[in-house]
Every structure is written in structure tokens, then in C-alpha cells.
């Protein structure tokens, strides 16, 4: 608990105790990762940031400096603490530190120290040596909270001390390095000048100005490198400023490309080196821009034709300029020609280039020139390795023969090794930032050292390979390319199959939902059939009572002025309704036969059903069980319907016998036909609903078959299955729609029959059905017998 007790000192109200506690924690956390983690998780970040805010941020005193040093101890080279700092949203609290404004006064020594430490703390979070994921998340957080925007404001402000400006440039460099969003924002920043100029142009003007401090020029170069790091969009924008179609002919504005060319060919060797390295970063891992840069033409003097940029670089090399200039140009050419056969062809097209390189390599020069010889060997090796043999005079084999005759393979490899053996090579390969004590040490670029590591071995192998081995290697490359294409093709096929499998799973889920809905509909239909059965039994009872009382009622019925023509017309309408009903039944029978044909036309399941997975078999078994249950329900319902039809026929026979025995046949036949039609209409409705249930059960069976076929036949039969499913659904939908139309027509028939009954009542033929229903509800069977006897006595 010792660290926890020490952390409590940071909250002490006595400033002396608090400040000494900060100093003690500084000493404890300087080189102990375990204590750094404990202190961080004891809420150290919150307390230290509160102290910095209370003391006035960058305007604070020595206490702010001590707190910033402690924060650096906790965060530097400690990934877990950095992650905790980011996730705790402490990056957002760093923004007020850099709100210094554009003031020419107020830059005290303590403020400069504090701001310098604050900038270093930002760089700790986005250092290129951190894990890429952690650095990227911190970069995004700094842009989202406005910290990057605030740093750019300081960058473009006036009156900022040189060391703060230099450190701000380095900080902005690492905040935007490799982060596309931050790089795009930095490209949009303009300097507050008239007219406004892009910040990149203003910085490049400082880089190629030999009067600027050396550290500032190094910082600008680092910023430009970070802006182009993994930023093909930015690389294209820089190269485009050199192309003829984009150059400003008026000369009112200076572009980044023009500044780089100016620095490349100036008399200052440091400007030459910086411009060459900056231009090389615009080509880094970007074959498109390497080809575009071949289009650049330079006007060397008045009256002479323009010269390509590539040719001008080789011309300067051959003129024997300073070593720093030649090293920069050779690094540019090596970067330009690597992985770009077209650029190699352009380079070899000038017949003076190869003799110049071989002459430089073959000479025995002093130690200062050994590095130039090694770079010349590397450039010649790149011309061999990336040669596409498009020039007959400088094919791979001929270049190898030139090396063997004029230099010697062993001597060539020895000169090539001078690069990696140089004392400044290892120093440049450690960190991306060009940090040199003086201009004389500015020789190697970090990205170029990685290129040398990549190419040194393959060039050595290429020099010793014979023509047969080259041919074999080319064939192997072609084979590997074909293999990669095949692998890519199968990956795409697998990806497509995964998508199709996912679609099939969704379809199965949809069909299951539809199955549940159909089961619910079947249950509803069963309940409706039961209701219709009860109604039919009630109608049967009513019809029996009508048969018992019809004779006595007809004896007392009088014509009451009924016209025989009207009665005949009513009978004709009833006959027409019966014929329409029979026609509708025939149409239903045709639809049933059509559905049976569709069912029989379905393809049988594939023979590979036995190889289906256990899970699919269980699903199919469940569907079969559900289908069997529905079929049994349908059979029971069919038996009930047959029974009802038999009872209906018996009732019709009784009705016909009763009509024959009635004295007034016209009137009795009309009433009985009306009631019979009513019963037939209800029975027909019951039959229609039963047929609809059959259709739904058939649809369920077809969907079960469709699911089984989808699981078995996979990709090859999915289209056929979908078409059949769609066709069945359309047919079933049409059948349901037509059945609904038939039910509507039957309902219209019932309405017409009811209207006919009303007219009969108006003509003096009262309806006995309602009277009989009331008698059934009020009296029991004994009372009914008495009522019958009484009515017979009255008659």
C-alpha cells in the first residue's frame, strides 16, 4: 500500500507536501514499469492533470514542469498506461495546454520549457515506435478533440520561439504520420498570408532556404515525410504539381513540386539532399507516381530543348558535385527505379548512364567515395533486377556480362556492401526522424535503409544467376501468379457460397415462420368448421320442425292477392341462383385438379438425402410429422362433411316427399326451396372453407419438400426450387382469391334469397322459421307436444 499512501500526497492541501510528493514519484517511476502501472491505476492522471490546470497550464510554474515530467515517466514506453490514458479521455484534456494565441510577448523561459514538455508528451502517445494500433487510435482521438487543429494554429502563428516551432513541427509530423484523416486535414491547412498559401508550401520554402536553422529544416523534412507516409493521395498531389498540365503558367504562386525542383538543383548541397529525399518519399511504394514523374520536363536554359527530370538527375551526377548532393540523387534514382521496369527502361535508354555507373564502380577511390560507389552498384543492380529486357542493347544478360568484364562480380558485390557497412547507415535505420547533429551527418534516409535491406540480397543473387536460372525464375513467377489467381478465384467462390448459404438459412427461417402461421390458420379453420357444424345441426332441427308444421300452416294460408306471375318469377330466380351455385362448384373442382397437377409435377428429392446432416434430418422429420397430423385432421373433417352431405340428402328427400303431399304445391315448393337453398349455401360455404384448408395443407407439404430440396441440392437446384416455390405460391394465391370471390358470390345469393323471403312475406306468405326458433327456445319437448295437440284441435 506504499504507492497508494504516496498518491494521497498529491491531494494534500499543503503545496509543499504535494510538490515533494510529485518529485518523489518522479524518482520512483523513472525506470520501473511495475510502479508506473500502479501509480497510473491509482488515478494519477486525473490528479496530475488537475494540478496542471490549477497552476495555469503552460503559464504555470515549476510545479507544472514537474507534473509533466512525471506524466512522461508514466507513459513513455508503457503501452498499458498509454491505453489507459487514451481510454480515460485524458487526451481531450490536453487541448487547453496549446491555446497560446498569437502573442509576441509572454514567452517566458518557464513557459517555453512547459510547452516543450507538453509537446513531447503528445509525441510519446503517437511515437512511431509504439504499436501501430495504439498510435492510430491516439491520432484519431487527437483529431476528433481538436488537438491537431490547435497544433497547426501554433505552427502557422507568428512570434513563436524557434525551438517551440521546431518541436511543434515534429509533433504535428507524428500526429499525422500514417493517418489518412489527419493527413487530409493537414493538406487543407493554409498559412495566414496574402494570398493564403498551403502550410506544406510554406514549410518547404523553409526547408530549401539555407538561411534557416538546421534543426528547423530537418523538422520540416520529417513533417513532409510523415505527410506522405502511406498516403498515395498526397503523393499524387505532390507529383501532379510537377506535371505540365498543372503548372501555373502565370507564375503567381509557387507549388510544392517547383520548390522541390528548385532545391534539387540549387547550389546548397543540404537543399539538394533534402529535396531529393522528399521527392523520393513522394514515390515510395507508388508505381503510378513513378511512371507519372517520367513525364516531367525541365527547361535548363533559353533556346535549348527541355530535358526530363530523370536525365537532369543523371547529368548532375556526372558533373562531379558534392558527395551529399550525389548521395541524395542516387537515393532518389534507386527509389524511382525500384519496382518500376518502365523507369528502368527510360534510364537505360540514355547510353551514357551505364558506362558512367560502371566507371564509378570500377575505380579505386578513397573512403569518402566508397559510399557513392556502393550506391552506384545498387542503382546498376536495380537496373538488372527490374529489367524487362525491352532494350536489346541492355538486356539482363548483357548487363551481367558488362559487370563481369569491367568490374568483376566479386568486386561488384563488395562495392554493394559498402552501403550497409557505413557507420551512418545503422543510425539512420533506427528511427524515421532525420535527427542529425550537423549537416555533414545527413547522409542516409530511414526509408532508403529499408529499401537497401530488401534489395541487397536479391541483387546479389541476380548477379550470380545464369540465363537458364533467370528463365526458370520467370517461369516460377508465372506459375506462382497463376496459382495466386486460382487461389483468389476459389476464395471468391467460397465467399459466394457463404453468402448463398446465409441466404438459404434465412429462407429456412422464413419458411419456418410461414409454417407456424399456417398451423395457426389450420387451428382457426378447425374452430370455424366446428362452428359451421353446430349451425348446420341447428338448421337441421329447424327444418325438421318446419316439416311437422308445414301441413297445418299451408291449410290456413290464403293467397291474399298474390299474383301467379310474381311467384313464377321468384321460382325462376331461385333456379338461376342454383345454377350459378353449381357453376361455382365446378370452378372449384377445376382449381383443385390444377393444384393436384402442380403437386404431381414437382421434382422428387435428390438421391443424396442419406448424406444430409443430422440436424436437417430432424427438421424434415418434424415437418413430416406435422404434415401427417394435418392430413389426419383433413381426413376426419372429410368424414364429417360426408356425413353432413348424407344427412342433407335425407332432408332433401323428406322435403320433396312433403312438397308432393301439400295441397298448394306452388307455395309449399317456394318456401321449401328457399330453406333448402339456405341450407345448401351454408353447406357450400363449409365445403369451400374445407377445400381452402386442403389447399393450405398441400401448400405446407410443398414447402416442406422445397426445404428438403434446398438442404440437399444446395447451389445447383436453388434457382429451380425458387421458381417452383414462386409458381406454387402464385397458384395458391390465385386459388384463394378465386375461392374468396366464390364465397362473396354465395353471400350475394344468400342476400337475394333473403330478399325473396321478404317479398314473400309482403305478398302474404309469412316465414315460420322465426316462430319455430322462438318456440324451441321457450318450451321443452313436452310443451311442444301440447302445443301441437292444441294447434291440431284448433284446426
Amino acid at each position: 500500500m506504499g504507492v497508494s499512501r504516496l498518491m494521497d500526497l498529491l491531494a494534500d492541501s499543503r503545496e509543499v507536501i504535494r510538490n515533494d510528493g510529485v518529485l518523489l514519484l518522479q524518482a520512483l517511476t523513472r525506470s520501473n514499469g511495475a510502479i508506473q502501472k500502479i501509480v497510473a491505476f491509482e488515478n494519477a492522471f486525473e490528479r496530475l492533470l488537475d494540478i496542471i490546470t490549477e497552476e495555469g497550464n503552460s503559464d504555470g510554474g515549476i510545479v507544472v514542469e514537474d507534473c509533466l515530467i512525471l506524466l512522461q515517466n508514466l507513459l513513455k514506453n508503457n503501452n498499458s498506461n498509454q491505453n489507459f490514458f487514451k481510454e480515460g479521455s485524458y487526451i481531450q484534456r490536453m487541448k487547453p495546454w496549446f491555446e497560446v494565441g498569437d502573442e509576441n510577448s509572454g514567452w517566458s523561459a518557464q513557459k517555453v520549457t512547459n510547452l516543450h514538455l507538453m509537446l513531447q508528451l503528445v509525441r510519446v502517445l503517437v511515437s512511431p515506435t509504439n504499436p501501430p494500433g495504439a498510435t492510430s487510435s491516439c491520432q484519431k482521438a487527437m483529431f476528433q478533440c481538436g488537438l491537431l487543429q490547435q497544433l497547426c494554429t501554433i505552427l502557422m502563428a507568428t512570434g513563436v520561439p524557434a525551438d517551440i516551432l521546431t518541436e511543434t513541427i515534429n509533433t504535428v509530423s507524428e500526429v499525422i504520420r500514417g493517418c489518412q484523416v489527419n493527413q487530409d486535414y493537414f493538406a487543407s491547412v493554409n498559412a495566414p498570408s496574402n494570398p493564403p498559401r498551403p502550410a506544406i508550401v510554406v514549410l518547404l520554402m523553409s526547408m530549401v532556404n539555407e538561411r534557416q536553422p538546421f534543426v528547423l529544416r530537418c523538422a520540416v523534412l520529417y513533417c513532409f515525410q510523415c505527410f506522405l507516409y502511406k498516403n498515395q493521395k498526397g503523393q499524387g498531389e505532390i507529383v501532379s504539381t510537377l506535371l505540365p498540365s498543372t503548372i501555373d503558367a502565370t507564375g503567381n504562386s509557387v507549388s510544392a513540386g517547383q520548390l522541390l525542383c528548385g532545391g534539387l538543383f540549387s547550389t546548397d548541397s543540404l537543399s539538394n539532399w533534402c529535396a531529393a529525399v522528399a521527392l523520393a518519399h513522394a514515390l515510395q511504394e507508388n508505381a503510378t507516381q513513378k511512371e507519372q514523374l517520367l513525364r516531367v520536363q525541365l527547361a535548363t536554359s533559353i533556346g535549348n530543348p527541355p530535358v526530363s527530370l530523370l536525365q537532369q538527375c543523371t547529368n548532375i551526377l556526372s558533373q562531379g558535385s558534392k558527395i551529399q548532393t550525389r548521395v541524395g540523387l542516387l537515393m532518389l534514382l534507386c527509389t524511382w527505379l525500384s519496382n518500376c521496369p518502365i523507369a528502368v527502361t527510360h534510364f537505360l535508354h540514355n547510353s551514357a548512364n551505364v558506362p558512367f555507373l560502371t566507371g564509378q564502380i570500377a575505380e579505386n577511390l578513397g573512403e569518402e567515395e566508397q559510399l557513392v560507389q556502393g550506391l552506384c552498384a545498387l542503382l546498376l543492380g536495380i537496373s538488372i533486377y527490374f529489367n524487362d529486357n525491352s532494350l536489346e542493347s541492355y538486356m539482363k544478360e548483357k548487363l551481367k556480362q558488362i559487370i563481369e568484364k569491367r568490374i568483376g562480380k566479386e568486386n561488384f558485390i563488395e562495392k554493394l556492401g559498402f552501403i550497409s557497412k557505413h557507420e551512418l547507415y545503422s543510425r539512420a535505420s533506427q528511427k524515421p526522424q532525420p535527427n542529425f547533429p550537423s549537416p555533414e551527418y545527413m547522409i542516409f534516409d530511414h526509408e532508403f535503409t529499408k529499401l537497401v535491406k530488401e534489395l541487397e540480397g536479391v541483387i546479389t543473387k541476380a548477379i550470380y544467376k545464369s540465363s537458364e536460372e533467370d528463365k526458370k525464375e520467370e517461369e516460377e513467377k508465372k506459375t506462382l501468379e497463376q496459382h495466386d489467381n486460382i487461389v483468389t478465384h476459389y476464395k471468391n467462390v467460397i465467399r459466394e457460397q457463404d453468402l448463398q448459404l446465409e441466404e438459404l438459412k434465412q429462407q429456412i427461417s422464413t419458411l419456418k415462420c410461414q409454417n407456424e402461421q399456417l398451423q395457426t390458420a389450420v387451428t382457426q379453420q378447425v374452430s370455424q368448421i366446428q362452428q359451421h357444424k353446430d349451425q348446420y345441426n341447428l338448421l337441421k332441427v329447424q327444418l325438421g320442425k318446419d316439416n311437422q308444421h308445414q301441413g297445418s300452416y299451408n291449410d290456413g294460408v290464403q293467397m291474399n292477392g298474390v299474383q301467379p306471375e310474381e311467384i313464377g318469377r321468384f321460382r325462376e330466380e331461385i333456379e338461376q341462383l342454383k345454377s350459378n351455385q353449381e357453376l361455382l362448384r365446378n370452378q372449384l373442382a377445376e382449381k383443385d385438379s390444377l393444384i393436384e397437377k402442380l403437386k404431381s409435377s414437382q421434382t422428387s428429392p435428390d438421391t443424396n438425402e442419406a448424406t444430409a446432416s443430422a440436424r436437417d434430418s430432424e427438421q424434415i422429420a418434424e415437418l413430416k410429422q406435422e404434415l401427417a397430423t394435418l392430413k389426419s385432421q383433413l381426413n376426419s373433417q372429410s368424414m364429417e362433411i360426408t356425413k353432413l352431405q348424407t344427412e342433407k340428402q335425407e332432408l332433401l328427400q323428406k322435403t320433396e316427399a312433403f312438397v308432393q303431399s301439400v295441397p298448394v304445391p306452388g307455395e309449399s315448393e317456394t318456401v321449401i326451396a328457399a330453406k333448402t337453398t339456405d341450407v345448401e349455401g351454408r353447406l357450400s360455404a363449409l365445403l369451400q372453407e374445407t377445400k381452402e384448408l386442403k389447399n393450405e395443407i398441400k401448400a405446407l407439404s410443398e414447402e416442406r419438400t422445397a426445404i428438403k430440396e434446398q438442404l440437399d441440392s444446395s447451389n445447383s437446384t436453388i434457382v429451380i426450387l425458387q421458381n417452383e416455390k414462386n409458381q406454387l405460391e402464385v397458384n395458391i394465391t390465385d386459388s384463394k382469391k378465386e375461392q374468396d370471390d366464390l364465397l362473396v358470390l354465395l353471400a350475394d345469393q344468400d342476400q337475394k334469397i333473403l330478399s325473396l323471403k321478404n317479398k314473400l312475406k309482403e305478398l302474404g306468405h309469412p316465414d315460420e322459421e322465426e316462430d319455430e326458433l322462438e318456440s324451441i327456445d321457450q318450451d321443452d319437448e313436452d310443451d311442444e307436444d301440447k302445443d301441437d295437440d292444441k294447434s291440431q284441435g284448433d284446426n
Side-chain angles (χ1 to χ4, degrees), residues 48 93 148 179 189 199 232 237 270 278 281 305 313 352 422 439 527 624 677 680 773:
L48 292 173
R93 297 187 60 179
L148 175 60
C179 182
V189 175
Q232 293 192 352
E237 291 173 353
L270 183 59
H281 277 260
C313 291
H422 199 277
S527 62
K624 287 182 178 181
T677 304
E680 288 177 352
L773 288 173

Side-chain angles (χ1 to χ4, degrees), residues 5-19 21 47 51 54:
R5 299 282 181 87
L6 292 178
M7 289 301 300
D8 294 337
L9 298 178
L10 298 182
D12 199 296
S13 59
R14 296 165 292 184
E15 292 188 1
V16 177
I17 302 299
R18 182 197 68 184
N19 297 343
R47 296 184 184 182
I51 294 173
E54 292 171 3

Side-chain angles (χ1 to χ4, degrees), residues 569-582:
R569 181 168 55 81
F570 292 155
R571 289 178 178 175
E572 290 177 357
E573 291 180 357
I574 291 172
E575 290 296 330
Q576 185 177 1
L577 291 174
K578 287 182 177 181
S579 63
N580 290 338
Q581 182 180 8
E582 187 64 28

Side-chain angles (χ1 to χ4, degrees), residues 438-687:
S438 63
E440 293 78 15
Y441 290 88
M442 186 177 273
I443 297 296
F444 285 108
D445 173 58
H446 176 74
E447 292 296 328
F448 180 74
T449 59
K450 296 197 296 187
L451 181 67
V452 172
K453 291 179 182 178
E454 178 185 350
L455 296 179
E456 187 176 5
V458 296
I459 290 175
T460 302
K461 292 180 181 178
I463 294 298
Y464 284 107
K465 280 183 181 178
S466 61
S467 58
E468 295 180 357
E469 291 176 345
D470 287 338
K471 291 180 180 179
K472 289 182 179 180
E473 184 178 357
E474 290 179 0
E475 292 178 357
E476 290 177 357
K477 285 183 179 179
K478 292 180 180 179
T479 305
L480 289 175
E481 290 178 358
Q482 293 177 356
H483 181 266
D484 292 339
N485 293 334
I486 294 172
V487 171
T488 304
H489 172 69
Y490 279 110
K491 285 182 179 179
N492 295 332
V493 171
I494 292 172
R495 192 178 295 109
E496 292 176 359
Q497 290 181 348
D498 290 339
L499 293 176
Q500 292 177 357
L501 184 61
E502 188 66 25
E503 291 178 359
L504 286 174
K505 290 181 180 179
Q506 293 178 357
Q507 290 178 3
I508 291 173
S509 177
T510 303
L511 291 174
K512 286 182 178 179
C513 295
Q514 292 178 358
N515 186 20
E516 294 176 357
Q517 293 175 359
L518 290 175
Q519 287 181 347
T520 304
V522 168
T523 304
Q524 294 177 355
Q525 292 292 335
V526 170
S527 62
Q528 290 179 3
I529 290 173
Q530 186 62 36
Q531 292 177 1
H532 290 312
K533 181 179 179 181
D534 296 339
Q535 293 177 2
Y536 180 77
N537 291 332
L538 180 61
L539 290 173
K540 184 174 70 173
V541 173
Q542 292 177 358
L543 185 60
K545 295 298 181 181
D546 289 342
N547 292 336
Q548 292 178 5
H549 298 284
Q550 187 65 36
S552 60
Y553 174 77
N554 286 334
D555 291 341
V557 174
Q558 303 297 328
M559 292 298 293
N560 292 326
V562 177
Q563 298 297 327
E565 293 83 1
E566 293 182 356
I567 294 174
R569 181 168 55 81
F570 292 155
R571 289 178 178 175
E572 290 177 357
E573 291 180 357
I574 291 172
E575 290 296 330
Q576 185 177 1
L577 291 174
K578 287 182 177 181
S579 63
N580 290 338
Q581 182 180 8
E582 187 64 28
L583 180 62
L584 294 174
R585 287 179 179 176
N586 294 333
Q587 291 178 357
L588 282 176
E590 292 177 358
K591 296 299 178 183
D592 290 338
S593 63
L594 177 61
I595 293 173
E596 290 295 332
K597 290 179 180 180
L598 291 173
K599 181 178 178 182
S600 61
S601 64
Q602 273 192 309
T603 58
S604 60
D606 296 332
T607 57
N608 59 352
E609 182 178 359
T611 61
S613 64
R615 182 177 178 184
D616 297 340
S617 301
E618 291 176 359
Q619 292 180 352
I620 294 171
E622 290 176 0
L623 291 175
K624 287 182 178 181
Q625 185 177 359
E626 292 174 358
L627 183 61
T629 303
L630 294 175
K631 285 183 178 179
S632 63
Q633 293 179 359
L634 182 62
N635 292 331
S636 61
Q637 291 170 3
S638 300
M639 293 175 63
E640 291 178 358
I641 291 170
T642 304
K643 182 179 179 181
L644 292 175
Q645 288 177 346
T646 305
E647 293 177 356
K648 172 197 164 189
Q649 293 296 332
E650 292 176 358
L651 289 174
L652 289 176
Q653 291 175 2
K654 290 181 181 179
T655 303
E656 290 176 358
F658 176 74
V659 170
Q660 292 176 358
S661 62
V662 174
V664 187
E667 296 174 356
S668 173
E669 183 179 355
T670 302
V671 175
I672 292 172
K675 293 182 177 294
T676 303
T677 304
D678 187 16
V679 173
E680 288 177 352
R682 295 177 183 274
L683 183 60
S684 177
L686 185 62
L687 290 172

Side-chain angles (χ1 to χ4, degrees), residues 247-298:
I247 294 177
D248 187 4
T250 61
N252 294 330
S253 62
V254 180
S255 66
Q258 291 172 339
L259 288 172
L260 291 176
C261 280
L264 194 63
F265 307 124
S266 70
T267 57
D268 179 28
S269 61
L270 183 59
S271 297
N272 301 152
W273 191 91
C274 291
V277 171
L279 197 55
H281 277 260
L283 306 176
Q284 199 75 37
E285 297 180 358
N286 195 330
T288 302
Q289 302 311 321
K290 291 177 182 179
E291 296 176 7
Q292 289 293 321
L293 200 62
L294 295 172
R295 298 170 50 199
V296 177
Q297 300 290 323
L298 302 176

